[in-house]
Amino acid sequence: PIGTIGSPTFLVQALAAAVIGRMERLPTIAAAAIGIGVIDQAMTFQPGNDPAFNDAILFVVVAVALLSVRARPTVRGGEVSTWQAAREVRPVPRELAGLPEVWGGRLLLGAAVVGALVSVPAWLPASRVNLAAVVVIFGIVGISLVVLTGWAGQVSLGQVAFVGIGGAVGGALTSTRGWDLSVALLAGGLAGAAVAVVLGYPAIRRRGFTLAVITLAFALATWGYFLNRKFWTWLPTDRLVRGELFGVIDVRSETAYYYLCLAALALVLAGARGLRRSRTGRVLVAIRENELAATAYGVHPVRTTLAAFACSGFVAAFAGVLFVHHQNALGVAPFVPQESLKAFSMVVIGGLGSLGGALLGALYVRGAAYFLPGEWQYLATGTGMLLVLMLFPGGIGAALAEARDGLLRAVARRRGVHVPALVADRRVEEEPPVPLEALRAAADAAESVETVELRP
């Protein structure tokens, strides 16, 4: 039908067949596509078959097929990075960081952002505060994608599936076990980290787009099967009551829960910044840029990348626990595979390489859908995202970073400070070579000069 898109099942099948054929062997790709399609249709028309089984079996078939393909041996000497989308925001140069106008401007900007976020309940009604909390939660999901895709270079197209797994575990613990929300947040995050490691370990050994296809297939299976109450009786069915945090802080109101989500975002943001500044963060970027060179320095690529999987899965599942308690129920509609693609697009729009870019992407995509008038909501659709990427190929975060660098260059020129990190490399013109005749004349002149001996 015009105006609608096909089921994600078709995308999973096509991508899986292409990856099985290593994106270049057309006969293999065609045979794999036909084989996967035959299996899918055979299950669909099986008498008494539940359509939800198709998604789970398709996930297993795709995963086994992808992991069974032998990794192509390649010689990667002299390899250079082509990960152009992950443009990280450079820190303020040390030569300018101590200037009053620079640190004062950063302080004022930070205070303005924090003040705007904290004052949201003061100038929005409760229904809008509820939507603002959703934007904050998806900002946390965006941070999880920056860790895995932006820093580690592993493309995940099923991140919302980890959100759903964490939400299911956390919701079950608070509704059936009566556990505190703080403990449910921790347990849900650990469940997401475990699932991410289980999915990621075999996939990263195959490299390429294997992980992207497996995570998308997992998102399809999670939505149709793993979050289906017909097959799993432990999933929460009752209304999820927010209750009290740590048994003391009442978070049942929309304002209180918004501040809880805001505090969780600040905590996750601080943890992610600490990870990026640590040795693990630097090693992740080094592996993304040149795995062979990083290995030569004694780095274990698989183990380090698995740490990124664990951190990313934990953060996404942590956001899932917040989300299901925000919704007061565990539904399946928010976890459809299209939401995973939307979340990935959200981070690309903001900028894959920066944490601030992920937050800007969440604000752009979710904020435009929730807070702009109807005639402007197309900015959050595919057309709006395509327009933004055409204008800012590196994302909104990269565009703002370039504007900041322009202001810093102006400050450096006014202060007369030379900052190599902010100026383009300048070509130094070499002096023209001396003619051979001139060199011979100089040598003859040197031989004709009498040597005078100086005595004390």
Side-chain angles (χ1 to χ4, degrees), residues 148-202:
L148 183 61
T149 304
W151 296 346
Q154 300 293 327
V155 179
S156 172
L157 297 180
Q159 200 71 1
V160 173
F162 303 119
V163 177
I165 294 296
V169 173
L173 292 177
T174 56
S175 63
T176 60
R177 300 285 183 177
W179 287 16
D180 190 87
L181 180 57
S182 59
V183 182
L185 286 168
L186 179 61
L190 292 176
V195 174
V197 170
V198 171
L199 282 179
Y201 180 73

Side-chain angles (χ1 to χ4, degrees), residues 76-453:
R76 292 177 292 180
E79 174 184 318
V80 294
S81 174
T82 57
W83 192 256
Q84 299 295 332
R87 296 177 57 186
E88 295 194 53
V89 177
R90 296 178 298 184
V92 176
R94 295 180 180 179
E95 297 89 343
L96 301 177
L99 297 179
E101 57 265 44
V102 175
W103 65 262
R106 296 175 65 186
L107 183 62
L108 288 176
L109 179 61
V113 172
V114 173
L117 292 175
V118 173
S119 64
V120 163
W123 46 276
L124 285 182
S127 59
R128 295 290 183 173
V129 173
N130 179 280
L131 296 177
V134 177
V135 176
V136 173
I137 292 173
F138 274 92
I140 299 176
V141 177
I143 292 176
S144 72
L145 274 170
V146 170
V147 173
L148 183 61
T149 304
W151 296 346
Q154 300 293 327
V155 179
S156 172
L157 297 180
Q159 200 71 1
V160 173
F162 303 119
V163 177
I165 294 296
V169 173
L173 292 177
T174 56
S175 63
T176 60
R177 300 285 183 177
W179 287 16
D180 190 87
L181 180 57
S182 59
V183 182
L185 286 168
L186 179 61
L190 292 176
V195 174
V197 170
V198 171
L199 282 179
Y201 180 73
I204 59 178
R205 291 181 173 274
R206 296 300 186 275
R207 300 296 174 185
F209 293 97
T210 302
L211 178 67
V213 179
I214 287 181
T215 51
L216 183 58
F218 179 69
L220 185 64
T222 300
W223 165 69
Y225 182 75
F226 293 117
L227 295 182
N228 196 327
R229 294 185 179 90
K230 293 190 299 183
F231 308 111
W232 308 97
T233 58
W234 61 271
L235 293 174
T237 56
D238 300 330
R239 185 176 185 273
L240 300 179
V241 181
R242 298 170 185 172
E244 297 179 345
L245 185 69
F246 303 115
V248 178
I249 305 174
D250 188 359
V251 294
R252 285 174 291 186
S253 68
E254 298 298 339
T255 299
Y257 203 77
Y258 169 78
Y259 283 129
L260 171 63
C261 295
L262 202 60
L265 174 63
L267 183 64
V268 170
L269 188 60
R273 287 174 62 89
L275 175 65
R276 179 61 185 89
R277 294 176 178 177
S278 66
R279 178 186 180 275
T280 301
R282 295 191 296 270
V283 168
L284 283 176
V285 176
I287 294 173
R288 181 196 74 192
E289 297 294 331
N290 194 323
E291 181 181 332
L292 189 62
T295 306
Y297 281 89
V299 172
H300 196 289
V302 175
R303 185 169 55 208
T304 308
T305 307
L306 282 180
F309 273 96
C311 293
S312 177
F314 181 92
V315 172
F318 180 86
V321 180
L322 286 174
F323 183 75
V324 297
H325 287 87
H326 172 274
Q327 300 292 304
N328 296 121
L330 175 67
V332 295
F335 307 113
V336 295
Q338 291 91 328
E339 289 296 324
S340 293
L341 300 177
K342 190 174 182 179
F344 187 83
S345 303
M346 173 187 75
V347 180
V348 173
I349 287 292
L352 272 172
S354 66
L355 299 173
L359 300 182
L360 288 173
L363 179 62
Y364 176 86
V365 175
R366 298 290 171 174
Y370 294 155
F371 296 104
L372 290 183
E375 60 271 17
W376 289 97
Q377 291 188 3
Y378 75 91
L379 294 174
T381 63
T383 303
M385 294 182 187
L386 181 60
L387 178 63
V388 171
L389 288 179
M390 291 176 64
L391 295 175
F392 311 113
I396 301 175
L400 293 179
E402 291 177 0
R404 182 209 64 177
D405 291 345
L407 294 175
L408 291 177
R409 291 188 189 97
V411 172
R413 285 193 300 266
R414 188 172 61 84
R415 287 276 190 167
V417 180
H418 179 65
V419 185
L422 292 178
V423 297
D425 295 336
R426 297 178 179 177
R427 179 179 178 181
V428 179
E429 297 294 340
E430 298 180 356
E431 296 182 0
V434 181
L436 183 59
E437 294 76 7
L439 291 177
R440 289 176 178 174
D444 295 340
E447 292 178 357
S448 63
V449 175
E450 297 181 358
T451 304
V452 179
E453 183 180 359

